[in-house]
Amino acid sequence: MAATPQTAAPAACALTERHLRIRRLGIDTYQEPVVFLREDCHVCRSEGFESQSRVELRHGDKRIVATLNVVRAGGLIELAEDEAGLSEVAWRSIGAAERDGVSIGHPAPVESFSHVRAKVFGHEFTAPALEQVIDDIGAGRYSNIEMAAFITACAADRLNTQETVALTQAMVATGSRLSWAQRPIVDKHCVGGLPGNRTTLIIVPIIAALGLKIPKTSSRAITSPAGTADTMETLAPVALDVPSMRRVVEREGGCIVWGGAVALSPADDVLIRVERPLDLDGDAQLVASVMSKKAAAGSTHVVIDVPVGPTAKVRSESAGHALAWQLIEVGRALGLHVDVMLTDGTQPVGCGIGPALEARDVLAVLRNDAAAPADLRERAIMLAGRIVELAQLAPPNSGTALAAQALADGRAWTKFQAIAEAQGGLRVPPTAREHHIVAATQSGDVLGIDNRRLARIAKLAGAPLVPAAGLDLHVKIGSQVEKGQPLYTIHAQSLGELHYALDYAQAQQQVIALGTRP
Amino acid sequence: MAATPQTAAPAACALTERHLRIRRLGIDTYQEPVVFLREDCHVCRSEGFESQSRVELRHGDKRIVATLNVVRAGGLIELAEDEAGLSEVAWRSIGAAERDGVSIGHPAPVESFSHVRAKVFGHEFTAPALEQVIDDIGAGRYSNIEMAAFITACAADRLNTQETVALTQAMVATGSRLSWAQRPIVDKHCVGGLPGNRTTLIIVPIIAALGLKIPKTSSRAITSPAGTADTMETLAPVALDVPSMRRVVEREGGCIVWGGAVALSPADDVLIRVERPLDLDGDAQLVASVMSKKAAAGSTHVVIDVPVGPTAKVRSESAGHALAWQLIEVGRALGLHVDVMLTDGTQPVGCGIGPALEARDVLAVLRNDAAAPADLRERAIMLAGRIVELAQLAPPNSGTALAAQALADGRAWTKFQAIAEAQGGLRVPPTAREHHIVAATQSGDVLGIDNRRLARIAKLAGAPLVPAAGLDLHVKIGSQVEKGQPLYTIHAQSLGELHYALDYAQAQQQVIALGTRP
């Protein structure tokens, strides 16, 4: 019995390490690393581990934290007493070989969660506190429920501008950061919430065709049926690493790649895995997520599209102004020129909702098809024009004409194909196996369209995980329809998903509101 | 291609159901039910399931919702293509036999989470909204991250009294409710945060010995090293069902059982599994948790102990008053007479921290040992006295004497043994294998004791999951100590846990603050 704790210090490390051989179980636990140990394994006994304990696995310099599931001896899992079974993500993260030896022990307690607790109880986050939290999240030290608590504590208007700036800077600090020889480096972003608003795939080639550099990184869907990266992926590879992305931009002036692969803000990508099922991303999360990626991408001039509508992510002009103010303030704090456009968010843009269906609309616009959705074309030209003006390539009110010209004369389409080729080759978007037309149950004018519930139907149909899934909208606000006329068509890859989407659609009233115009 | 969704409705149900044979995998996933399906299983393919999908399993009338983990074919898990492997909790909940057929499909979307989302964005909960949320949580329809978001959204002071009353009533509604022939039915509760404050085990026998009925249900630890149920369990069985509990109370006038087993507020017990790792339980959660159990237990008169101190759960007089007000208001709304006592929360009560060590202190007081901790005895007598007065068995200011008498003359100890026997037999608390004395690194007076960090050390040592683990405090505020004199002894069952606790203890300054009194 030692008389002072000091004497125990060196022993501790040795004693809390135990060696096991790892086995790949082939269990997909999504993104939460899980390790399976036998209940009679010496580590469980000596360390007092139980299910849901957070354990640290070490292999050489590599350390990962995983959630423990204890396995009953004589169960259906072929694990020996001295083996640790790893889930797929744990297997990938540790990067070792079958039956390699790993040491396993208690991870250091995640002290930074006390800052989250303090925030929940009404204290402000300090910049150092947010650095610790984001650093721990980026390193995978937070469990899913700890991240859910952090996200909830930051949601809505719970972070002030100072905290949001600190959160943004912390996110930039966790990842790689691009720097470019010349400036301006322009960029655009849409805060989303508007199905089908896939202007990026049109704006980037227009801007690049006009000679500006636009290294665009996009996210996959968080709570929507499709993110720009999901849509672009149906047309070309998007998971490029930094050197490849740089090569594309040097050569073509622009790119449309997935931000996750270039790890410009890795903590944000980790948080997204919890924000997504919670369908809960607040203003501060949103601003930090957007601005951290712009700053890390080395952008100097950024135009942000904020669709406003009763069922868009931003529901009112005033909410739009508040968000715009935060975006501009945080941008300034990071040394970026930010311009925000509040746009019409009353109904979806284009016809398709879902990666492949939106890609089809984009191609129609780029190719100047007569049948191309006019609303998508106009939005893209308007935003591209604003970028051109912000970058001072054209005087105020003349950017739109410049952008329209680059699209009309085919330079944008040529540039898009060149970018797609540079990213790994232009692809043809997939089409779904199952279709179901939802028809009008009465005649009348389309008075309103519920973006959220349409998005929900597209998600239940499988989007974005099934790229061909989603829905195709056949009407716009103001359309006159007869009873029995198609309103939208649901696209799905499996009958189960088709019916799941239908079950929900049928339970809803007025997703597309029909009536007589006052 | 059908022309209207209606035609698909009946088909949907049939199509979203798939039959599989269940296998018990023997994987302990704590309390989140998990089902394992092969990636090439027809259900995954036809339903578009992927890992982390929430799926519904049906066996007869029994339905459970579980999280899906997809298993690679040819992995180490012996699952056939048409088999569903269940984790232990999923296996227990479905209550079927090996290789029984179950149908599996998409669960109905948990619509009530939209109320949580609305709350996060600043809207008040309506009573019906909270009913739906709590009903879904009680039925296990919420995932862990959804519960984490709900808990965070309710934490601190985010629920007003009206919402707290509604939450409490919703919790009562989900569980069984006891009714008693006579009244008063008295009860007590401590809001906790004060290590070693195990007065219940002394108060119940005193009150029962004085002839009042006190059917006490206690919780296991949520965020502390020991709950009353954990401590009592080292002395007697506590997992009694309602009929057994009723029998004990009819016979002995009182009991000390685990609330979880009698399911007086099952939704609360489900929430606790997420509150515990988050170490995050706010006022409203606390009030609803306490009052729902009192109401469900059929109590009519309740005395609540609120320890106040800089490192107790309640840190200031004003915070104590706010909590007291909520407890009394919510009690009134539920028809209960509630009396709140703000007590000294500056340091632990008794010497032991951890289930078995606290039980040892309790036995010393009940047996009137000369060495018994005086502070524990006095608190118990004071609270018992207040209960006696609230129940009008004695006039104001004379309850304490009555209580003290029942303890001093051995009636309380006799009654405690009778209750323990009635609950299944008196036990001897276990003792730990490993001990380590933490000694003073300087001489001086004990100026302060940090309850939270002491509790943290006891938890790292294994409490409450390891009943014998925890620590034994050798000093009180005001004690004079010499350098090298023992301050406290850490008790652990494994060296790993002992050193884990020590590593943390060593990193802390002034857990027990030594200095010269001003």
Side-chain angles (χ1 to χ4, degrees):
Chain A
M1 188 147 99
T4 74
Q6 282 66 16
T7 61
C13 313
L15 271 158
T16 51
E17 292 215 356
R18 290 287 185 278
H19 291 275
L20 292 168
R21 292 177 301 117
I22 56 169
R23 305 295 308 276
R24 180 179 183 175
L25 287 183
I27 296 176
D28 178 3
T29 53
Y30 196 40
Q31 299 203 41
E32 184 167 33
V34 176
V35 56
F36 299 76
L37 298 181
R38 281 239 313 240
E39 62 188 348
D40 54 353
C41 135
H42 62 284
V43 176
C44 287
R45 286 206 315 276
S46 64
E47 297 298 318
F49 284 146
E50 63 150 13
S51 277
Q52 298 304 98
S53 300
R54 303 277 291 168
V55 299
E56 185 174 70
L57 271 65
R58 309 186 196 85
H59 179 260
D61 305 343
K62 193 84 181 171
R63 290 163 174 254
I64 69 166
V65 175
T67 299
L68 174 66
N69 280 185
V70 173
V71 177
R72 206 161 38 85
L76 290 181
I77 300 193
E78 296 171 351
L79 262 189
E81 199 184 317
D82 66 340
E83 291 178 333
L86 302 190
S87 74
E88 292 299 277
V89 62
W91 179 264
R92 285 193 299 273
S93 327
I94 194 100
E98 191 76 6
R99 292 203 162 75
D100 271 2
V102 297
S103 65
I104 183 165
H106 295 274
V110 185
E111 285 300 333
S112 72
F113 192 72
S114 61
H115 301 309
V116 177
R117 226 175 264 120
K119 176 65 184 179
V120 170
F121 283 89
H123 302 272
E124 270 186 30
F125 277 122
T126 63
L130 278 166
E131 271 166 41
Q132 291 167 41
V133 171
I134 293 303
D135 185 57
D136 283 334
I137 288 173
R141 295 187 199 103
Y142 271 42
S143 67
N144 284 352
I145 62 171
E146 287 166 334
M147 280 191 283
F150 173 70
I151 288 159
T152 310
C154 297
D157 56 357
R158 300 235 168 72
L159 295 194
N160 60 31
T161 307
Q162 211 175 352
E163 289 172 298
T164 310
V165 169
L167 175 62
T168 310
Q169 283 164 330
M171 283 181 168
V172 174
T174 58
S176 48
R177 187 162 187 171
L178 304 179
S179 61
W180 303 91
Q182 75 279 49
R183 43 181 296 137
I185 296 296
V186 304
D187 209 339
K188 66 81 62 176
H189 186 83
C190 175
V191 301
L194 198 54
N197 192 15
R198 217 43 72 206
T199 55
T200 296
L201 278 63
I202 301 162
I203 293 168
V204 168
I206 290 176
I207 295 299
L210 291 173
L212 288 168
K213 283 248 183 301
I214 180 164
K216 182 80 179 78
T217 66
S218 299
S219 59
R220 298 194 184 276
I222 300 176
T223 63
S224 71
T228 295
D230 301 310
T231 302
M232 182 65 180
E233 196 167 36
T234 67
L235 294 165
V238 293
L240 278 63
D241 57 16
V242 172
S244 321
M245 171 190 177
R246 192 176 274 287
R247 193 181 43 74
V248 175
V249 175
E250 301 297 357
R251 204 168 86 189
E252 300 299 338
C255 69
I256 304 162
V257 302
W258 173 45
V262 292
L264 291 182
S265 181
D268 184 52
D269 300 324
V270 174
L271 281 167
I272 281 171
R273 84 185 186 208
V274 177
E275 280 170 35
R276 185 176 180 155
L278 284 181
D279 203 340
L280 192 69
D281 48 353
D283 268 15
Q285 289 290 351
L286 184 69
V287 171
S289 174
V290 173
M291 298 314 294
S292 64
K293 290 190 150 107
K294 300 308 165 201
S299 309
T300 59
H301 297 67
V302 184
V303 169
I304 297 171
D305 174 13
V306 178
V308 178
T311 59
K313 182 174 277 172
V314 176
R315 304 196 187 198
S316 68
E317 285 277 324
S318 59
H321 294 145
L323 178 59
W325 190 80
Q326 270 207 307
L327 287 163
I328 292 165
E329 282 300 301
V330 172
R332 180 175 295 119
L334 274 74
L336 309 187
H337 300 272
V338 176
D339 190 358
V340 178
M341 291 185 83
L342 299 193
T343 59
D344 173 16
T346 53
Q347 61 184 324
V349 180
C351 311
I353 300 175
L357 292 163
E358 293 174 15
R360 180 208 56 198
D361 289 351
V362 165
L363 291 177
V365 171
L366 286 169
R367 290 172 173 150
N368 294 298
D369 292 354
D375 55 348
L376 179 60
R377 180 196 291 108
E378 281 149 28
R379 291 178 81 94
I381 290 170
M382 178 179 64
L383 287 158
R386 190 66 81 93
I387 293 169
V388 165
E389 291 167 10
L390 181 68
Q392 296 175 17
L393 186 72
N397 307 318
S398 63
T400 312
L402 213 60
Q405 190 49 40
L407 180 62
D409 64 20
R411 277 177 292 159
W413 173 226
T414 309
K415 176 56 74 176
F416 182 87
Q417 295 171 83
I419 290 171
E421 286 307 327
Q423 288 188 196
L426 187 64
R427 299 169 176 167
V428 177
T431 52
R433 200 158 43 220
E434 310 293 340
H435 307 84
H436 185 101
I437 293 177
V438 174
T441 51
Q442 67 178 87
S443 302
D445 303 323
V446 175
L447 302 179
I449 297 180
D450 189 322
N451 293 318
R452 287 161 188 272
R453 288 187 292 164
L454 274 183
R456 180 71 178 278
I457 292 165
K459 283 159 69 181
L460 293 177
L465 296 162
V466 180
L471 58 84
D472 213 4
L473 199 54
H474 306 309
V475 295
K476 289 274 169 190
I477 290 175
S479 306
Q480 291 181 314
V481 300
E482 297 305 319
K483 180 175 181 183
Q485 185 180 325
L487 295 176
Y488 57 92
T489 302
I490 299 175
H491 296 237
Q493 206 58 294
S494 78
L495 277 174
E497 288 168 301
L498 179 63
H499 286 105
Y500 192 35
L502 269 176
D503 292 348
Y504 176 81
Q506 287 172 280
Q508 305 301 313
Q509 301 300 321
Q510 302 272 339
V511 172
I512 292 176
L514 295 174
T516 333
R517 227 169 308 167
Chain B
M1 190 148 98
T4 74
Q6 280 66 19
T7 61
C13 312
L15 272 157
T16 51
E17 291 213 357
R18 291 287 184 279
H19 291 276
L20 292 167
R21 292 177 299 117
I22 55 169
R23 303 296 308 276
R24 180 178 184 174
L25 289 185
I27 296 175
D28 179 2
T29 53
Y30 196 40
Q31 300 205 40
E32 184 167 32
V34 177
V35 57
F36 299 76
L37 297 181
R38 276 225 332 227
E39 62 188 348
D40 55 350
C41 135
H42 62 283
V43 176
C44 288
R45 285 206 315 275
S46 64
E47 297 298 318
F49 284 144
E50 62 149 15
S51 277
Q52 299 304 97
S53 301
R54 303 278 290 167
V55 298
E56 184 174 72
L57 270 64
R58 307 185 198 85
H59 180 260
D61 304 343
K62 193 83 180 171
R63 292 163 173 253
I64 69 165
V65 175
T67 299
L68 174 66
N69 281 184
V70 173
V71 178
R72 208 160 36 85
L76 289 179
I77 299 192
E78 295 173 348
L79 262 189
E81 199 184 316
D82 66 340
E83 290 178 333
L86 302 189
S87 71
E88 291 299 276
V89 63
W91 179 264
R92 285 194 299 273
S93 327
I94 194 100
E98 191 75 8
R99 292 202 162 75
D100 271 3
V102 297
S103 65
I104 184 165
H106 295 274
V110 185
E111 286 300 335
S112 72
F113 191 74
S114 61
H115 301 310
V116 177
R117 226 175 266 121
K119 177 65 184 178
V120 170
F121 283 88
H123 301 272
E124 268 184 33
F125 277 122
T126 63
L130 279 167
E131 271 165 40
Q132 291 168 40
V133 171
I134 293 302
D135 185 56
D136 284 333
I137 288 174
R141 297 188 197 102
Y142 271 42
S143 66
N144 285 351
I145 63 171
E146 287 166 335
M147 280 191 282
F150 173 69
I151 288 160
T152 310
C154 298
D157 56 357
R158 301 237 167 73
L159 295 194
N160 60 33
T161 306
Q162 212 175 351
E163 289 172 298
T164 309
V165 169
L167 175 62
T168 310
Q169 283 165 330
M171 283 180 168
V172 174
T174 57
S176 48
R177 188 163 186 172
L178 303 179
S179 62
W180 303 91
Q182 76 278 49
R183 44 182 296 139
I185 296 297
V186 303
D187 209 339
K188 65 81 62 175
H189 185 82
C190 175
V191 301
L194 198 54
N197 191 16
R198 217 43 70 203
T199 55
T200 295
L201 278 63
I202 302 163
I203 293 168
V204 168
I206 289 176
I207 295 299
L210 291 172
L212 288 167
K213 283 250 183 300
I214 181 165
K216 182 80 180 79
T217 66
S218 299
S219 60
R220 299 193 185 277
I222 300 176
T223 61
S224 70
T228 295
D230 302 309
T231 303
M232 183 63 180
E233 197 166 36
T234 67
L235 294 165
V238 293
L240 278 63
D241 58 15
V242 173
S244 320
M245 170 191 177
R246 193 176 272 287
R247 192 182 44 75
V248 174
V249 175
E250 301 297 356
R251 204 168 87 189
E252 300 299 339
C255 69
I256 303 162
V257 302
W258 172 44
V262 292
L264 291 183
S265 182
D268 184 50
D269 300 323
V270 174
L271 281 168
I272 281 171
R273 82 185 187 210
V274 177
E275 281 170 34
R276 186 176 179 154
L278 284 181
D279 202 340
L280 192 69
D281 49 354
D283 268 15
Q285 289 290 350
L286 183 70
V287 171
S289 174
V290 173
M291 299 313 295
S292 64
K293 287 183 154 118
K294 300 309 165 199
S299 309
T300 59
H301 296 67
V302 184
V303 169
I304 298 171
D305 174 12
V306 178
V308 179
T311 58
K313 184 173 276 172
V314 175
R315 304 196 187 197
S316 68
E317 285 277 324
S318 59
H321 295 145
L323 178 59
W325 190 81
Q326 269 208 308
L327 287 163
I328 291 165
E329 282 300 302
V330 172
R332 179 174 296 118
L334 273 74
L336 309 187
H337 300 273
V338 175
D339 190 359
V340 177
M341 290 186 83
L342 300 192
T343 59
D344 173 16
T346 52
Q347 61 183 324
V349 179
C351 311
I353 299 175
L357 293 162
E358 293 174 16
R360 179 208 56 199
D361 289 351
V362 165
L363 292 177
V365 171
L366 285 169
R367 291 175 173 146
N368 293 298
D369 292 354
D375 56 347
L376 178 61
R377 179 196 291 108
E378 281 149 28
R379 291 178 81 94
I381 290 170
M382 178 179 66
L383 286 158
R386 188 67 79 93
I387 293 169
V388 166
E389 291 167 9
L390 182 67
Q392 296 176 17
L393 187 72
N397 306 318
S398 63
T400 312
L402 214 60
Q405 190 51 39
L407 180 61
D409 63 20
R411 278 177 292 161
W413 172 225
T414 308
K415 176 57 74 175
F416 182 87
Q417 296 172 81
I419 290 171
E421 285 309 326
Q423 290 188 194
L426 188 64
R427 300 170 176 166
V428 177
T431 52
R433 202 158 42 220
E434 311 293 340
H435 306 85
H436 186 102
I437 292 177
V438 174
T441 51
Q442 66 178 90
S443 301
D445 303 323
V446 175
L447 303 179
I449 297 180
D450 189 323
N451 293 318
R452 289 162 188 272
R453 288 188 291 165
L454 274 184
R456 181 71 179 277
I457 293 166
K459 283 159 68 179
L460 293 177
L465 297 163
V466 179
L471 59 84
D472 213 4
L473 198 55
H474 306 309
V475 295
K476 290 274 168 188
I477 290 175
S479 306
Q480 293 181 315
V481 300
E482 298 305 318
K483 180 174 184 184
Q485 185 180 323
L487 295 175
Y488 57 92
T489 302
I490 299 175
H491 296 237
Q493 206 59 293
S494 78
L495 278 173
E497 288 169 302
L498 178 63
H499 286 107
Y500 193 34
L502 271 175
D503 291 348
Y504 176 81
Q506 287 171 278
Q508 305 301 312
Q509 301 300 321
Q510 303 272 335
V511 171
I512 292 177
L514 294 174
T516 333
R517 225 171 308 169

